[in-house]
Amino acid sequence: MPVVEEYYDIVVVGAGHAGCEAALAAARLGLNTILFTISMDSVAMMPCNPNIGGSSKGHLVRELDALGGEMGKNIDKTYIQSKMLNASKGPAVHSLRAQADKGHYSRNMKYTLENTDHLTLRQAEVSELIVYENEIKGVKTFSGGTYYAKAVVLCTGTYLKARCIYGDVVNHTGPNGLMAANHLSDSMRDAGIGIRRFKTGTPARLDKKTIDFSQMEEQKGDEHIVPFSFTNTEEDIKREQVSCWLCYTNEETHNIIRENIDRSPLFSGVIEGTGPRYCPSIEDKVMKFPDKNRHQIFIEPEGEYTNEMYMGGMSSSLPEDVQYKMIRSMKGLENVRIIRNAYAIEYDCISAIDLKPSLEFKRISGLFGAGQLNGSSGYEEAAAQGLMAGINAVMKVKGKEPVILDRSQAYIGVLIDDLVTKETFEPYRMMTSRAEYRLLLRQDNADLRLTDIGHEIGLIDENRYEAFCLKRKLIEEETQRLHNTQVGGNSKIQSFLEENGSTTLKTAATLAELIRRPELSYEKIAPIDDDRKELPNDVIEQINISIKYEGYIERQNMQVEQFKKLEKRKIPDDIHYEDVSNLRKEARQKLMLIRPENIGQASRISGVSPADISVLLIYLKMKK
């Protein structure tokens, strides 16, 4: 019987947000790549929330863009509302978030994939890994095809042996009723890969025609639009925006949930997988926070040309009749019709401590993992891992060193380091609090941090890189000028300061010193700055932040220097931890399990104490 046999440089399994970025990176770097999807309708699908970005996730998307990824460009083309979250707080926690037209987002990404050189898009279920002597050789599909490759990237999302559950209803499908991938998990087990079970959930979708918006609070987008992609300006993407709406649960809603909690598969034991702590179901919220008499629920459009409305904050696995009762107990939703039921979804994934920081499997050369397969949650976390896995698959094939971002360089570095170093027993979600150097890792300066790296890899073209270098030069030159330009206490200066509620000068001061005052800024001192140039808004933003937070930034840079010293202390691959005397048993076990690449990574392993690190440092010094 004839069989299909094809040869590629790189195979990517799964065309969700991780798979799209991995495949695009590999193909754009010139390698012949095939991207498998279980359904062409699931390419870059958004099966849950209809938005990109948000707190800390916006940082990831802007970093992706700075490195040459696609997600930022795609949401700029397909957003229907844009907001900068936490705008009243410091710049370290500002996070961009955009509502997406889900259908348009998926279609546009698919079109980009279809028209990328060196990239083939293929609908088929990958059912088997071809592994020989701990090295990946390719994959087989359920239909019998064999696809040989030099590297394989697994981006399986929530499809592996997936089942969707609400009440007593259990459907053995992937998200949105698409087919599950029922065979690859067994092949992974056979290859020695450990499998675990996680779960996530999604809320009901409502019919817009049956919602009374007059009883809800309208949530409009920002007047000033900040693009996700550094290649765009506000003028490039500004458009008429669509509103979202805010409503609340109430005591009646909570009573309905409590009275039916025994019918929830979350509480009855039907659901086996571990769910995300930071994105709980509504029944979890009600049971765990009994003192709260209401919870915020956002009613968000799923697109411009659909009546489906998403219930942000109300994921559930309660039975259909209970879903109707609890939703209709809320103001504005008394007569609502449900278009799609809420459900929980269980799926197979791995423990990411089986991966190197490059996202390559430790025990199988050339095999990489990215996205929810690695135990993370969220489109943005998946896309970030997909990009890095795709880049490093290319580096593997070309015989080059992997590209690894550390915790002081990017939120992407924090995300991957957390996954491969700190064993997670629930779906991992990125948060600003996880980044210890967050004042340096702002979403506004992602290009200044990472575009050099993207250019060196080959994903940032020369035109874009020249524009970036000009921006950086303008920031540096203008910041230096402001530090070097002094103004005295003449009547013009003193009058200006009094008019702006600022203390008058007793001695001369630099323009930078004036900008540092809370009530002043680069824009506000324009009347007393005779040599001021016309500069783009993004340049002005960086000047303001770098001057106003200069002291804090210098202090954090000093912390990074100490961090870098530990990261540079490499641990030999052949170290035998059982030979390191005075190491505690737990530390020895964890170090043997994770096998950190450097002292910095070792210090972040749960169960490894500062005393253990001191013992390890002494041992390495003696060995040297």
Side-chain angles (χ1 to χ4, degrees), residues 389-410:
I391 290 169
N392 285 325
V394 171
M395 298 301 149
K396 181 77 175 182
V397 171
K398 291 184 175 181
K400 295 183 178 181
E401 287 295 308
V403 177
I404 297 170
L405 302 175
D406 68 42
R407 300 179 74 88
S408 70
Q409 290 177 293

Side-chain angles (χ1 to χ4, degrees), residues 4 121 193-194 202 259 269 417 475 530:
V4 173
L121 195 54
I193 298 170
T202 191
E259 288 165 5
D417 184 66
I475 294 166
D530 296 332

